[in-house]
């Protein structure tokens, strides 16, 4: 009965969310049918795709997807994403890909110092070292300038962190930010998100650090006026020095900045507000996340976030219609007056930004839908480079990687560059647990004879840790990616089910930007080695029996 319900749910999701008109549902079912008919008994027994078998019985004609080229209306093949989220069309010249933690840190400082209207920062936590204090000092200096410039200063600072991670220890994110609250109470807001799933006896019994496994505010967005930095990096000295992540700057993008400002405000409204005396309280009239009714709280949070998504989507659709209408009029004028007037026209966007939000505690799973569809629709000879600091893919993602036709190059952390390597206590065994998960997945790849199509690579760099996550999609026959995903999700159970996550899909037709993204991918993969059977025979890959026994029970918490 549970399997039937799961099959029905999967079918509803496929029917509701898969794109129409590019790779049709018939083609998808044909491809799945082809995969399922190859006699892979062990895999078929556990694969959720087997639940589609009754639908796959009749022969289904396979419709070949057209190549990735602009259709007459100027839309690209990923246009279907705008049915779920707002689509922001920008010039590729506004996108800059960063490569190093130091570059990221210096950019943060410069952007803070030059901000005039708003600074909005969402992160898991703010560290307590000297580099983090320098960031706080930059904020204080900029706020002071704003205060002296006008009687009613324009600059507003909004910071969103996770409550449990930000409250860890005696010196923590809260104590770092309280001086700003005390000095600039009208300009600074610090919101601490507390998952509604940590409540009652669970909250009472689970100790500090371990309580962070229940759910976190994991979004990483840093925006300054109309400039937005999307990353997976937190505000901590490691992420400013020797912890490799990814970073993209979207410059002069007011609509995108407005969207993420509203998103952070919405989450902030349902979060605990830090006070000047280090206490916290909810906004007046708001349901408490762990003392109030859980269902009511989640419904309010869902409504607030979806209002942001839907209103931005409506605005962008109206803007798109207006722009299209103006373009048609301009073309008509140009045809009458000659081409000399074309110099004054604003260039058409060649890059599109789609914000993908995942907040399963609130019933929002847009990022999951889009990611699964991208993996499903990837054609034969397409290449997908997928990277994660913590290799713990959901079962659905694993099934899609192993059951579709694209080539995959999956980059993950070797044990030595795992963020938990050398940690004290139980946390010190987490790298071994990831090795065990990796070995199981690799064994599945070998069992299905997919070693050529699905390749694992381990990042290794002396003195560094690895935290980069994301995806690059290379269409069949192309040497450059036309799409990347960048943001906070790790493609694991936590990202999908427990934490608040956000990333963006960047789709571009511009060769220069595609080259930037390609170089970013190459630079990360350059520091890696290909995983083979001999990899797991090395002494540092030995996994103790108790870790093997415990991993299946706890893998959904890290």
């Amino acid at each position: 009965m549970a399997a039937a319900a799961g099959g029905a749910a999967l079918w509803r999701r496929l029917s509701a969310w898969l794109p129409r008109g590019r790779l049709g549902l018939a083609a998808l079912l044909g491809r799945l049918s082809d995969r399922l008919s190859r006699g892979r008994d062990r895999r078929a027994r556990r694969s959720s795709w087997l639940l589609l078998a009754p639908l796959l019985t009749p022969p289904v004609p396979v419709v070949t997807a057209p190549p990735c080229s602009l259709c007459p209306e100027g839309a690209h093949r990923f246009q279907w994403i705008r049915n779920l989220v707002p689509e922001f069309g920008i010039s590729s010249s506004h996108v800059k890909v960063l490569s190093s933690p130091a570059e990221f840190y210096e950019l943060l400082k410069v952007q803070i110092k030059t901000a005039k209207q708003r600074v909005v920062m969402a992160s898991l936590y703010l560290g307590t070292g000297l580099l983090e204090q320098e960031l706080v000092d930059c904020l204080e200096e900029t706020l002071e300038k704003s205060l002296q410039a006008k009687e009613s200063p324009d600059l507003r600072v909004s910071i969103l962190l996770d409550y449990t991670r930000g409250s860890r220890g005696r010196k923590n994110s809260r104590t770092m930010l309280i001086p700003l609250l005390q000095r600039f109470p009208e300009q600074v807001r610090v919101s601490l998100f507390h998952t509604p799933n940590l409540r009652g006896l669970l909250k009472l019994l689970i100790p500090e650090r371990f309580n962070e496994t229940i759910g976190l505010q994991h979004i990483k967005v840093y925006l300054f006026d109309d400039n937005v930095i999307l990353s997976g990096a937190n505000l901590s000295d490691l992420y400013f020095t020797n912890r490799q992540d990814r970073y993209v700057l979207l410059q002069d993008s007011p609509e995108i900045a407005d969207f993420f400002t509203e998103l952070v405000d919405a989450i902030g409204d349902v979060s605990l507000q830090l006070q000047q005396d280090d206490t916290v309280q909810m906004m007046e009239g708001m349901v408490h996340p762990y003392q109030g009714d859980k269902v009511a709280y989640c419904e309010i949070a869902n409504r607030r976030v979806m209002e942001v998504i839907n209103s931005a989507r409506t605005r962008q659709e109206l803007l798109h219609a207006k722009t299209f209408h103006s373009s048609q009029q301009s073309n008509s004028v140009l045809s009458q007056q000659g081409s000399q007037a074309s110099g004054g026209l604003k260039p058409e966007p060649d890059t599109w930004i789609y914000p993908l939000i995942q907040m399963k505690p609130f019933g929002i799973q847009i990022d999951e839908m889009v990611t699964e569809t991208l993996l499903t629709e990837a054609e034969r000879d397409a290449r997908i480079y997928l990277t994660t600091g913590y290799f713990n893919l959901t079962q659905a993602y694993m099934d899609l990687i192993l059951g579709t036709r694209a080539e995959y190059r999956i980059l993950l952390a070797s044990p030595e560059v795992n963020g938990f390597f050398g940690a004290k206590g139980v946390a010190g065994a987490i790298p071994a647990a990831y090795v065990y998960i990796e070995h199981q997945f690799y064994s599945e790849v070998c069992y299905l004879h997919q070693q050529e199509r699905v390749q694992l690579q381990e990042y290794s760099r002396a003195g560094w840790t690895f935290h980069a996550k994301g995806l690059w999609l290379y269409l069949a026959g192309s040497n450059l990616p036309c799409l990347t995903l960048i943001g906070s999700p790790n493609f694991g159970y936590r990202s999908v089910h427990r934490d608040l996550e956000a990333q963006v899909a960047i789709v571009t037709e511009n060769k220069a930007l595609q080259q930037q993204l390609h170089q970013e991918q190459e630079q990360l993969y350059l520091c890696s080695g290909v995983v083979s059977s001999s990899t797991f025979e090395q002494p540092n890959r030995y996994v103790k029996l108790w870790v093997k026994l415990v991993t299946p029970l706890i893998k959904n918490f890290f």
Side-chain angles (χ1 to χ4, degrees):
M1 190 168 180
L10 182 59
W11 172 247
R12 284 196 302 273
R13 288 170 69 181
L14 284 168
S15 302
W17 297 104
L18 283 176
R20 271 78 169 170
R22 300 300 293 179
L23 175 60
L25 192 55
L28 172 66
L29 294 178
R31 291 184 178 187
L32 292 173
S33 179
D34 181 55
R35 285 287 166 190
L36 289 171
S37 64
R38 293 190 180 186
R40 302 183 327 210
D41 294 333
R42 183 164 74 94
R43 174 166 177 74
R45 279 197 299 271
R46 73 168 178 80
S47 175
S48 60
W49 294 113
L50 187 60
L51 299 170
L52 287 173
L55 301 169
L56 302 174
T57 304
V60 181
V62 176
V63 181
T64 304
C68 183
S69 59
L70 291 181
C71 41
E73 299 80 16
H76 49 77
R77 71 186 298 155
F78 303 102
Q79 185 178 342
W80 55 269
I81 305 178
R82 75 179 185 189
N83 294 326
L84 304 174
V85 296
E87 175 188 74
F88 302 99
I90 64 173
S91 169
S92 55
S93 62
H94 292 184
V95 184
K96 181 181 180 183
V97 180
L98 285 67
S99 60
S100 72
E103 191 178 6
F104 169 60
Y105 180 62
E106 291 304 317
L107 180 62
L108 286 175
K109 290 194 294 182
V110 168
Q111 291 292 316
I112 290 173
K113 290 177 180 178
T114 56
K116 303 298 182 186
Q117 278 80 42
R118 59 184 169 188
V119 172
V120 179
M121 299 197 292
S123 184
L124 174 60
Y125 69 104
L126 171 69
T128 58
L130 294 177
L131 295 180
E132 297 92 319
Q133 185 60 56
E134 192 173 344
L135 279 185
V136 176
D137 292 343
C138 287
L139 284 169
E140 183 177 13
E141 179 184 330
T142 306
L143 284 162
E144 182 61 38
K145 286 180 181 178
S146 174
L147 195 62
Q148 292 176 356
K150 293 183 180 181
E151 292 183 6
S152 178
D154 293 331
L155 182 64
R156 294 291 181 270
V157 174
S158 177
I159 299 174
L160 171 66
L161 306 173
D162 182 73
Y163 175 87
T164 53
R165 182 63 182 86
S167 302
R168 183 200 289 184
R170 301 186 71 175
K171 186 178 181 182
N172 52 43
S173 305
R174 294 162 63 163
T175 59
M176 291 286 288
L177 293 170
I178 282 174
L180 292 182
L181 280 173
Q182 292 173 338
R183 188 168 180 189
F184 309 99
E186 301 301 318
Q187 293 173 265
V188 178
R189 179 192 195 192
V190 178
S191 304
L192 302 169
F193 173 79
H194 190 294
T195 177
N197 293 325
L198 182 64
R199 54 175 51 230
L201 281 176
L202 201 62
K203 182 173 177 61
L204 187 65
L205 297 176
I206 298 184
E208 192 176 81
R209 292 177 182 261
F210 290 94
N211 58 9
E212 297 166 25
T213 63
I214 305 303
L216 296 167
Q217 192 306 111
H218 200 244
I219 296 170
K220 291 87 187 278
V221 175
Y222 311 107
L223 72 88
F224 314 89
D225 292 341
D226 293 337
N227 300 328
V228 183
I229 302 173
L230 276 305
S231 180
N234 293 302
L235 296 173
S236 172
D237 54 3
L238 291 175
Y239 295 89
F240 304 149
T241 52
N242 62 345
R243 190 157 171 74
Q244 183 63 59
D245 216 296
R246 296 180 66 207
Y247 335 84
V248 168
L249 169 65
L250 306 176
Q251 303 175 84
D252 191 23
S253 302
E255 292 89 357
I256 301 174
D258 288 346
F259 172 84
F260 280 107
T261 297
E262 292 171 13
L263 179 67
V264 171
D265 283 347
I267 303 169
D269 288 348
V270 298
S271 299
L272 296 158
Q273 306 300 304
L274 182 63
Q275 305 299 305
Q276 297 178 28
D277 60 355
D278 199 19
T279 60
V280 293
Q281 63 184 41
M282 291 299 292
M283 288 177 58
E284 189 175 349
M286 187 62 64
V287 178
H288 199 281
Y290 62 86
Q291 293 176 350
D293 181 81
K294 180 180 177 181
V295 173
Y297 172 80
C298 291
E299 286 177 351
I300 291 171
N302 174 285
R303 190 159 57 247
R304 283 289 288 112
V305 173
M306 290 308 299
E307 281 173 359
V308 172
I309 295 171
N310 292 329
S311 62
R313 195 167 151 246
T314 300
R315 286 198 305 268
Q316 291 308 114
E317 287 174 349
L318 291 172
L319 181 63
H320 177 78
K322 183 179 178 181
T323 304
F324 180 78
H325 182 66
S326 299
S327 176
Q328 292 292 90
Q329 287 183 330
S330 298
N331 289 339
S332 175
V333 170
L334 284 174
S335 66
Q336 294 173 11
Q337 298 181 354
S339 60
Q340 67 271 16
S342 61
L345 288 177
K346 186 179 179 180
E348 290 291 320
D350 59 6
T351 300
W352 294 267
I353 310 296
Y354 300 96
L356 308 179
I357 311 304
Q358 185 74 12
M359 300 178 181
K360 200 67 168 284
F362 303 156
I364 300 170
Q365 51 197 98
I366 297 170
D367 180 65
E368 177 188 5
M369 295 287 187
V370 171
T371 302
E372 287 187 5
T373 303
L374 289 173
L375 299 182
T376 301
E377 198 185 31
E379 59 209 354
R380 184 189 293 276
D381 296 326
R383 285 175 295 136
I384 291 180
Y385 289 78
L386 187 151
T387 176
T388 174
Y390 305 110
F391 184 72
N392 188 13
L393 301 178
T394 66
Q395 190 64 55
Y397 291 162
M398 285 193 290
D399 285 342
L400 286 169
I401 289 169
L402 294 172
T404 50
R405 298 183 176 187
E407 295 180 10
Y408 285 87
R409 300 293 179 265
I410 302 174
L411 182 62
L412 51 125
S414 65
E416 295 78 16
V417 300
N418 186 294
F420 290 97
F421 185 75
K424 296 178 181 179
V426 177
I430 290 179
Y434 282 117
V435 169
Y436 181 58
I437 294 168
E438 175 190 353
H439 195 181
Q440 285 185 311
F441 181 78
Y442 180 76
S443 298
E444 185 76 3
V445 170
C446 293
Y447 175 81
L448 299 173
H449 306 291
Q450 299 286 324
Q451 297 96 311
E452 293 299 317
R453 191 181 65 81
V454 181
Q455 190 175 94
L456 296 180
Q457 296 177 227
E458 286 186 354
Y459 186 94
S460 182
R461 188 176 179 184
W464 284 65
T465 55
F466 183 69
H467 196 250
K469 65 280 299 263
L471 178 153
W472 299 259
L473 173 60
Y474 294 68
L475 295 169
S478 176
N479 292 321
L480 296 174
C482 64
L483 177 147
T484 189
L485 300 182
I486 178 169
S488 63
N490 279 298
F491 305 104
Y493 186 94
R494 286 202 58 158
S495 292
V496 172
H497 295 277
R498 295 187 180 278
D499 298 340
L500 305 192
E501 306 278 10
Q503 64 180 340
V504 295
I506 302 177
V507 177
T508 185
E509 295 161 348
N510 180 270
K511 295 299 180 184
L513 179 53
Q514 289 179 355
Q515 187 65 43
Q516 274 195 73
L517 295 171
H518 176 67
Q519 289 173 350
E520 178 199 30
Q521 177 270 117
E522 280 195 323
Q523 183 177 342
L524 289 172
Y525 279 70
L526 195 62
C527 299
S528 70
V530 177
V531 172
S532 65
S533 298
S534 61
T535 301
F536 302 100
E537 297 172 1
Q538 299 173 20
N540 63 344
R541 295 301 194 280
Y542 173 73
V543 181
K544 295 178 181 178
L545 178 60
W546 74 267
V547 175
K548 293 180 180 179
L549 295 174
V550 169
T551 297
L553 303 177
I554 64 171
K555 63 182 293 186
N556 293 343
F557 292 91
F558 61 83

Short mmCIF file of all heavy atoms in Angstrom, two decimals, residues 50-76:
data_model
loop_
_atom_site.label_atom_id
_atom_site.label_comp_id
_atom_site.label_asym_id
_atom_site.label_seq_id
_atom_site.Cartn_x
_atom_site.Cartn_y
_atom_site.Cartn_z
N LEU A 50 10.42 1.57 -10.65
CA LEU A 50 9.64 0.37 -10.93
C LEU A 50 8.17 0.60 -10.67
O LEU A 50 7.31 -0.07 -11.24
CB LEU A 50 10.15 -0.79 -10.06
CG LEU A 50 9.55 -2.18 -10.35
CD1 LEU A 50 9.85 -2.58 -11.79
CD2 LEU A 50 10.11 -3.21 -9.41
N LEU A 51 7.85 1.58 -9.84
CA LEU A 51 6.46 1.89 -9.55
C LEU A 51 5.74 2.42 -10.79
O LEU A 51 4.51 2.46 -10.84
CB LEU A 51 6.39 2.93 -8.43
CG LEU A 51 6.99 2.48 -7.10
CD1 LEU A 51 7.10 3.65 -6.14
CD2 LEU A 51 6.16 1.37 -6.49
N LEU A 52 6.51 2.83 -11.80
CA LEU A 52 5.90 3.29 -13.04
C LEU A 52 5.65 2.16 -14.04
O LEU A 52 5.12 2.39 -15.11
CB LEU A 52 6.82 4.33 -13.72
CG LEU A 52 6.90 5.70 -13.06
CD1 LEU A 52 7.98 6.54 -13.74
CD2 LEU A 52 5.57 6.42 -13.16
N ALA A 53 6.03 0.93 -13.68
CA ALA A 53 5.94 -0.18 -14.61
C ALA A 53 4.57 -0.36 -15.25
O ALA A 53 4.46 -0.59 -16.45
CB ALA A 53 6.37 -1.48 -13.92
N PRO A 54 3.44 -0.28 -14.48
CA PRO A 54 2.14 -0.43 -15.12
C PRO A 54 1.89 0.60 -16.22
O PRO A 54 1.16 0.35 -17.17
CB PRO A 54 1.14 -0.23 -13.96
CG PRO A 54 1.93 -0.55 -12.74
CD PRO A 54 3.31 -0.10 -13.03
N LEU A 55 2.51 1.76 -16.09
CA LEU A 55 2.32 2.80 -17.09
C LEU A 55 3.20 2.58 -18.30
O LEU A 55 2.99 3.18 -19.35
CB LEU A 55 2.65 4.17 -16.48
CG LEU A 55 1.83 4.55 -15.25
CD1 LEU A 55 2.44 5.79 -14.60
CD2 LEU A 55 0.40 4.85 -15.64
N LEU A 56 4.20 1.72 -18.16
CA LEU A 56 5.19 1.56 -19.21
C LEU A 56 4.94 0.32 -20.07
O LEU A 56 5.70 0.05 -20.99
CB LEU A 56 6.59 1.47 -18.59
CG LEU A 56 7.01 2.66 -17.74
CD1 LEU A 56 8.35 2.38 -17.08
CD2 LEU A 56 7.10 3.91 -18.58
N THR A 57 3.90 -0.43 -19.79
CA THR A 57 3.65 -1.68 -20.48
C THR A 57 3.46 -1.52 -21.99
O THR A 57 4.09 -2.19 -22.78
CB THR A 57 2.43 -2.40 -19.88
OG1 THR A 57 2.66 -2.57 -18.48
CG2 THR A 57 2.22 -3.76 -20.53
N PRO A 58 2.58 -0.59 -22.47
CA PRO A 58 2.42 -0.43 -23.91
C PRO A 58 3.68 0.17 -24.51
O PRO A 58 4.39 0.93 -23.86
CB PRO A 58 1.25 0.56 -24.05
CG PRO A 58 0.64 0.65 -22.69
CD PRO A 58 1.73 0.33 -21.73
N PRO A 59 4.00 -0.19 -25.77
CA PRO A 59 5.15 0.44 -26.40
C PRO A 59 4.93 1.93 -26.57
O PRO A 59 3.88 2.36 -27.02
CB PRO A 59 5.24 -0.27 -27.77
CG PRO A 59 3.86 -0.80 -28.01
CD PRO A 59 3.30 -1.11 -26.67
N VAL A 60 5.92 2.71 -26.18
CA VAL A 60 5.79 4.16 -26.24
C VAL A 60 6.80 4.70 -27.23
O VAL A 60 7.99 4.42 -27.11
CB VAL A 60 6.05 4.80 -24.84
CG1 VAL A 60 5.89 6.31 -24.92
CG2 VAL A 60 5.09 4.22 -23.82
N PRO A 61 6.38 5.45 -28.23
CA PRO A 61 7.34 6.01 -29.19
C PRO A 61 8.26 7.02 -28.51
O PRO A 61 7.82 7.82 -27.69
CB PRO A 61 6.45 6.68 -30.23
CG PRO A 61 5.18 7.01 -29.50
CD PRO A 61 5.01 5.90 -28.49
N VAL A 62 9.53 6.98 -28.83
CA VAL A 62 10.49 7.92 -28.26
C VAL A 62 10.59 9.13 -29.18
O VAL A 62 10.90 9.01 -30.35
CB VAL A 62 11.87 7.26 -28.11
CG1 VAL A 62 12.89 8.28 -27.61
CG2 VAL A 62 11.78 6.08 -27.16
N VAL A 63 10.31 10.30 -28.60
CA VAL A 63 10.40 11.54 -29.36
C VAL A 63 11.74 12.18 -29.04
O VAL A 63 12.05 12.44 -27.90
CB VAL A 63 9.24 12.50 -28.98
CG1 VAL A 63 9.34 13.78 -29.79
CG2 VAL A 63 7.89 11.81 -29.20
N THR A 64 12.53 12.39 -30.05
CA THR A 64 13.85 12.98 -29.83
C THR A 64 13.72 14.45 -29.51
O THR A 64 13.04 15.19 -30.21
CB THR A 64 14.73 12.81 -31.09
OG1 THR A 64 14.79 11.43 -31.41
CG2 THR A 64 16.14 13.34 -30.84
N ALA A 65 14.38 14.88 -28.46
CA ALA A 65 14.32 16.30 -28.07
C ALA A 65 15.09 17.14 -29.08
O ALA A 65 16.15 16.74 -29.55
CB ALA A 65 14.91 16.49 -26.68
N PRO A 66 14.59 18.29 -29.45
CA PRO A 66 15.30 19.16 -30.37
C PRO A 66 16.58 19.69 -29.73
O PRO A 66 16.71 19.70 -28.52
CB PRO A 66 14.31 20.30 -30.63
CG PRO A 66 13.41 20.30 -29.45
CD PRO A 66 13.32 18.87 -29.00
N PRO A 67 17.55 20.10 -30.52
CA PRO A 67 18.79 20.61 -29.95
C PRO A 67 18.56 21.90 -29.19
O PRO A 67 17.54 22.56 -29.36
CB PRO A 67 19.67 20.86 -31.19
CG PRO A 67 18.69 21.07 -32.31
CD PRO A 67 17.53 20.18 -31.99
N CYS A 68 19.53 22.28 -28.35
CA CYS A 68 19.40 23.50 -27.56
C CYS A 68 19.67 24.71 -28.44
O CYS A 68 20.81 25.13 -28.58
CB CYS A 68 20.35 23.48 -26.38
SG CYS A 68 20.17 24.93 -25.33
N SER A 69 18.66 25.23 -29.04
CA SER A 69 18.79 26.45 -29.83
C SER A 69 17.60 27.33 -29.53
O SER A 69 16.58 26.87 -29.04
CB SER A 69 18.84 26.12 -31.32
OG SER A 69 17.65 25.44 -31.70
N LEU A 70 17.73 28.60 -29.81
CA LEU A 70 16.63 29.52 -29.53
C LEU A 70 15.45 29.22 -30.44
O LEU A 70 15.61 29.04 -31.64
CB LEU A 70 17.09 30.97 -29.76
CG LEU A 70 18.12 31.49 -28.77
CD1 LEU A 70 18.45 32.92 -29.10
CD2 LEU A 70 17.62 31.39 -27.36
N CYS A 71 14.27 29.16 -29.85
CA CYS A 71 13.08 29.03 -30.68
C CYS A 71 12.70 30.42 -31.18
O CYS A 71 13.23 31.42 -30.70
CB CYS A 71 11.95 28.36 -29.91
SG CYS A 71 11.75 28.87 -28.22
N PRO A 72 11.79 30.54 -32.13
CA PRO A 72 11.51 31.84 -32.75
C PRO A 72 11.16 32.94 -31.76
O PRO A 72 11.44 34.10 -32.00
CB PRO A 72 10.33 31.52 -33.67
CG PRO A 72 10.48 30.07 -34.00
CD PRO A 72 11.07 29.45 -32.77
N GLU A 73 10.54 32.57 -30.62
CA GLU A 73 10.15 33.58 -29.64
C GLU A 73 11.32 34.05 -28.79
O GLU A 73 11.19 34.94 -27.97
CB GLU A 73 9.06 33.05 -28.71
CG GLU A 73 7.76 32.66 -29.41
CD GLU A 73 7.83 31.30 -30.06
OE1 GLU A 73 8.76 30.53 -29.72
OE2 GLU A 73 7.00 31.01 -30.93
N GLY A 74 12.48 33.45 -28.96
CA GLY A 74 13.65 33.84 -28.18
C GLY A 74 13.75 33.14 -26.85
O GLY A 74 14.56 33.51 -26.02
N ALA A 75 12.92 32.13 -26.63
CA ALA A 75 12.97 31.39 -25.36
C ALA A 75 13.99 30.27 -25.46
O ALA A 75 14.26 29.75 -26.53
CB ALA A 75 11.60 30.84 -25.02
N HIS A 76 14.57 29.87 -24.33
CA HIS A 76 15.53 28.78 -24.31
C HIS A 76 14.86 27.53 -23.77
O HIS A 76 13.74 27.56 -23.28
CB HIS A 76 16.76 29.16 -23.47
CG HIS A 76 16.39 29.71 -22.13
ND1 HIS A 76 15.98 28.93 -21.09
CD2 HIS A 76 16.33 30.99 -21.68
CE1 HIS A 76 15.70 29.68 -20.06
NE2 HIS A 76 15.90 30.93 -20.38
#
